Amino acid sequence: MGVGANFWDLLKPYARAEGFDFLRNKRVAVDLSYWIVQQETALKGQIRNPHIRLTFFRTINLFSKFGAYPLFVMDGTASPLKSQARIARFFQASGIDLSSFPVAEEGISIERNKAFQKCEKECVELLELLGVPVLKAKGEAEALCAQLNREGLVDACITSDSDAFLFGANCVIKNMQPNSNEPFECYHMSDIESGLGLRRNQLIAISLLVGNDYNLTGVPGIGIETAVRFVKSFSDDEILYRLREIGLQDFQHDVNLDSSLIPSSDESPRKTKVPHCSICGHPGSKKAHLKFACQYCSATANEGCIKKPLGFKCNCSPCDLDNKEKEQKRNENWKLKVCRRIASEQNFRNNEITEMYLNKLQQYDGDYHLSWENPKIDMIVDYLAYYQHWEPSYTRQRMFPMLSTIFLRDMASNSKDQLLGGQYEFDSIQRVKTRFGHQLYVINWKKPTREMSNVICIPSEDFDTEQELGIADESTDLLDEPDSPQIHVKEGCSFLSTEEDMVLVQNAFPEKVSQFLRDKDLKESRSRRKRPMKSENSESPRGVQLSIINFYRSSKVPCHEKPEESETGCPKISADTSRERDIEPIRNYSKSVRRKLLFD
């Protein structure tokens, strides 16, 4: 959840739509509970174990499609305030009065339900088999993700909890759409600071006023717009101190609220109000303006002032100063009203919540050992066959893009292993493919056909993934299922084609890339030579359609026979010749016009 009152809508205008290369060779921390809740809510009852499926496919996409180094963070033991908020959220969903719900005792926390713990345990088992590091936070998972991001151990966080910014995150990815041109909806703290003018302490203050994961209600009567306006009246350094002082005021005697807590601008000495004419509305007396026109009116001196129009407002300096003083007084009264609302809230626990958001407690015990290992393929096949009832060939085929990416990374770091999984070798670069505006190499991986059944097999025709899932075609984006490698057999060998990053292939196999580029240039030069050179007469203006006679030239050889002569010595004109002469002008018309002339 994070901050309440539609806090994401406030940040939405400052989101960036990042492309495929945004996470290339970067570390990203994933809030595991976010993925579990998202998939269980969207696809529960439609497919078997949606949390396992989502974790498997999205992890493969992060490796192969986006080139990232993902690590996952689990929720730890919830604080008493968090436990109390969970009970309140449950009562809200059940329609029970919040005033009757039990209060969690100090030092006692309430764990999540057993169904969620079971899903989390199964996902962690799968991630460990995939070789991905998994960390367990002492408290909130998004708090540890933000701490890793703030300390520079990861480059971004993937979570839907908006309070990640309150914990100190610099870059948060809220949504992932692998099958789009810009798959990431990314929020940078620098954009929020420059766009909204709000820094971290001010965001914490907004959460205290509108509600958060530790206090669902916040201060009644204060919405997001009121909170933003009130918080902006204080600096980032003093806002939390001011809220603490306001919260300590006696709510039973809020009429005597200390007005020194309200910021006010330096007031100049109030000047005496200058009298204004009731006719023209300008400074001066009516008696004087009846005789002579004032300096503000455009009339002549003998006619007096002009009568002021309806809704007239004087812009003289005394009136301008008076209007500013009135506006300042209205703002101070409004701030005093907001302060009284805050002071009247008995459960305004700003101190405890502020300490949690400022990370004064360490979120992780011990050192961070972030290392990515090779997946345990055989154990993953057995794991998914047990939980998802997948064929081994289907699991191996879906894992192949991830395995190829890891293999290319190892080759780029001077690894001595020349075979992918001990079976496939890098054969050639087939072509360059553009996917959503991003160029990739299509790589052919070679393996003898007789060994094909040991690692990757073509799935049987009767194993239909969509039938097994029972989901319509429009749900493919929600499932995040990666593209499977193309399989074909040629000259007694099996080949698998995968799409790989061009820079990664260049670093792993520079000689193969150089050979591919040379062959590509040679092929293009040969094709240019084979193209016939167009003469100047045959060229037509671009965009002008040729006539049907010029476009479809006759393949018949024209006859050069002499025409027969008549008895008078003149050429003999036959009936057919005269007919052709009559039809000749018709050929200059378009096909539709000729059809009408001939058949109508």
Side-chain angles (χ1 to χ4, degrees):
M1 175 187 168
V3 184
N6 299 322
F7 186 71
W8 278 119
D9 294 339
L10 178 68
L11 307 181
K12 183 71 174 179
Y14 310 100
R16 296 186 192 178
E18 300 288 356
F20 275 81
D21 286 336
F22 176 66
L23 291 180
R24 185 75 57 187
N25 298 323
K26 293 181 180 179
R27 296 180 175 184
V28 55
V30 182
D31 183 359
L32 182 57
S33 61
Y34 162 52
W35 279 9
I36 295 175
V37 173
Q38 181 189 36
Q39 197 73 350
E40 285 290 331
T41 304
L43 298 174
K44 187 175 182 180
Q46 299 184 25
I47 64 175
R48 183 183 295 110
N49 295 325
H51 57 285
I52 296 178
R53 181 188 178 86
L54 177 81
T55 304
F56 177 70
F57 284 142
R58 280 197 176 177
T59 305
I60 291 176
N61 276 330
L62 286 174
F63 269 100
S64 60
K65 191 172 290 188
F66 304 124
Y69 289 86
L71 64 94
F72 291 81
V73 180
M74 303 166 51
D75 282 322
T77 303
S79 64
L81 280 178
K82 180 75 173 184
S83 301
Q84 184 175 348
R86 285 177 180 171
I87 298 175
R89 190 178 293 118
F90 172 77
F91 278 18
Q92 279 183 346
S94 304
I96 304 175
D97 185 12
L98 292 179
S99 59
S100 62
F101 75 85
V103 178
E105 299 180 8
E106 184 176 357
I108 298 178
S109 61
I110 299 175
E111 298 290 340
R112 286 182 178 267
N113 58 71
K114 293 183 179 180
F116 179 87
Q117 293 180 0
K118 177 177 177 293
C119 294
E120 187 179 49
K121 180 182 178 182
E122 292 171 351
C123 290
V124 171
E125 291 175 353
L126 176 61
L127 292 171
E128 290 176 348
L129 294 177
L130 289 170
V132 180
V134 180
L135 303 178
K136 185 173 183 178
K138 292 182 64 177
E140 298 292 321
E142 63 269 20
L144 180 55
C145 291
Q147 182 178 333
L148 294 172
N149 187 208
R150 189 177 66 255
E151 295 177 358
L153 296 175
V154 298
D155 299 283
C157 308
I158 298 180
T159 180
S160 64
D161 286 332
S162 54
D163 54 1
F165 297 106
L166 282 58
F167 286 112
N170 297 319
C171 178
V172 174
I173 297 174
K174 183 175 181 281
N175 291 328
M176 284 179 55
Q177 297 176 346
N179 299 321
S180 64
N181 191 18
E182 295 174 335
F184 299 112
E185 182 184 331
C186 190
Y187 296 81
H188 296 266
M189 189 62 187
S190 57
D191 295 339
I192 297 173
E193 291 177 357
S194 59
L196 281 175
L198 299 173
R199 301 176 66 86
R200 182 184 175 187
N201 290 343
Q202 292 171 320
L203 294 180
I204 294 175
I206 291 175
S207 72
L208 296 175
L209 296 176
V210 301
N212 49 65
D213 279 347
Y214 306 100
N215 182 14
L216 300 181
T217 57
V219 178
I222 296 181
I224 188 68
E225 295 182 359
T226 303
V228 170
R229 180 184 171 188
F230 180 78
V231 166
K232 281 186 176 181
S233 62
F234 300 91
S235 66
D236 184 67
D237 297 329
E238 67 173 342
I239 179 61
L240 296 179
Y241 169 76
R242 292 285 188 176
L243 282 182
R244 183 167 57 251
E245 293 297 318
I246 294 172
L248 292 177
Q249 296 291 315
D250 188 0
F251 65 91
Q252 292 181 351
H253 303 84
D254 59 342
V255 177
N256 301 322
L257 186 66
D258 189 0
S259 60
S260 64
L261 300 174
I262 305 173
S264 60
S265 58
D266 297 334
E267 295 184 1
S268 57
R270 188 177 181 88
K271 298 180 180 181
T272 306
K273 189 173 182 179
V274 179
H276 283 61
C277 174
S278 60
I279 299 177
C280 65
H282 295 132
S285 64
K286 177 181 179 181
K287 183 177 181 180
H289 286 194
L290 288 175
K291 296 181 180 180
F292 303 100
C294 66
Q295 57 180 345
Y296 299 97
C297 293
S298 59
T300 59
N302 296 328
E303 297 179 357
C305 291
I306 301 175
K307 185 177 181 180
K308 61 182 178 181
L310 186 64
F312 171 80
K313 290 184 179 180
C314 181
N315 295 325
C316 65
S317 57
C319 291
D320 201 18
L321 180 61
D322 186 62
N323 291 334
K324 290 181 179 178
E325 291 177 352
K326 289 180 179 178
E327 181 67 22
Q328 181 180 346
K329 188 65 176 178
R330 284 195 296 268
N331 288 336
E332 290 180 359
N333 292 335
W334 175 82
K335 292 172 186 176
L336 183 62
K337 181 180 179 181
V338 175
C339 290
R340 285 172 176 168
R341 283 185 179 274
I342 298 173
S344 63
E345 179 62 26
Q346 303 183 37
N347 297 323
F348 189 64
R349 301 181 176 179
N350 55 332
N351 293 334
E352 303 170 70
I353 300 175
T354 300
E355 289 180 1
M356 292 183 182
Y357 281 138
L358 293 178
N359 288 331
K360 294 188 177 181
L361 299 175
Q362 188 68 19
Q363 298 295 330
Y364 185 74
D365 293 330
D367 299 330
Y368 301 107
H369 299 287
L370 305 180
S371 61
W372 287 261
E373 301 175 355
N374 292 327
K376 300 177 178 61
I377 302 176
D378 294 334
M379 298 181 68
I380 294 174
V381 169
D382 295 339
Y383 182 89
L384 295 176
Y386 177 77
Y387 282 101
Q388 300 297 110
H389 298 178
W390 288 351
E391 295 286 343
S393 58
Y394 176 80
T395 302
R396 294 179 188 275
Q397 189 179 10
R398 296 296 176 177
M399 283 187 61
F400 195 84
M402 175 182 176
L403 299 177
S404 62
T405 301
I406 296 175
F407 174 74
L408 292 175
R409 288 176 178 175
D410 294 340
M411 292 300 300
S413 60
N414 299 324
S415 175
K416 297 181 180 180
D417 190 4
Q418 298 293 327
L419 295 178
L420 194 162
Q423 301 289 338
Y424 281 84
E425 64 179 356
F426 188 100
D427 180 70
S428 62
I429 301 175
Q430 181 180 344
R431 61 188 175 92
V432 177
K433 180 178 179 180
T434 302
R435 183 184 180 90
F436 297 115
H438 179 68
Q439 288 191 329
L440 304 165
Y441 279 141
V442 179
I443 307 300
N444 290 333
W445 304 90
K446 179 181 177 181
K447 176 190 171 185
T449 308
R450 62 179 181 273
E451 301 177 4
M452 185 177 174
S453 60
N454 294 334
V455 177
I456 298 178
C457 301
I458 303 176
S460 59
E461 296 181 356
D462 57 347
F463 180 71
D464 189 351
T465 313
E466 295 182 358
Q467 292 179 1
E468 188 262 343
L469 296 176
I471 296 178
D473 295 337
E474 55 267 17
S475 301
T476 53
D477 289 341
L478 186 59
L479 295 174
D480 295 331
E481 184 171 347
D483 299 329
S484 60
Q486 301 296 323
I487 304 174
H488 56 276
V489 180
K490 182 180 178 181
E491 297 178 357
C493 297
S494 62
F495 293 88
L496 268 73
S497 300
T498 59
E499 302 169 4
E500 306 293 345
D501 179 61
M502 299 179 72
V503 177
L504 184 59
V505 177
Q506 172 68 36
N507 296 334
F509 295 95
E511 298 179 357
K512 295 280 188 181
V513 175
S514 300
Q515 181 64 33
F516 169 75
L517 295 178
R518 286 195 299 268
D519 295 343
K520 182 181 178 182
D521 294 338
L522 182 61
K523 189 180 298 183
E524 290 178 354
S525 62
R526 288 177 179 175
S527 63
R528 283 194 297 267
R529 287 192 210 131
K530 291 181 180 180
R531 292 174 187 168
M533 298 297 293
K534 295 183 179 179
S535 62
E536 295 181 359
N537 297 332
S538 63
E539 292 182 357
S540 61
R542 186 176 182 86
V544 177
Q545 183 178 2
L546 297 174
S547 64
I548 191 169
I549 299 175
N550 294 332
F551 194 82
Y552 295 102
R553 294 187 179 276
S554 176
S555 59
K556 295 182 180 181
V557 180
C559 298
H560 300 283
E561 298 179 355
K562 293 183 179 180
E564 298 180 4
E565 295 183 358
S566 62
E567 296 179 357
T568 60
C570 297
K572 184 179 180 180
I573 300 175
S574 62
D576 296 338
T577 306
S578 61
R579 184 181 172 211
E580 290 178 2
R581 189 184 301 168
D582 295 335
I583 299 176
E584 184 66 28
I586 302 177
R587 295 178 180 175
N588 297 328
Y589 298 118
S590 64
K591 186 176 180 181
S592 60
V593 174
R594 293 202 311 271
R595 186 184 297 112
K596 290 182 179 180
L597 291 174
L598 293 175
F599 295 98
D600 292 346

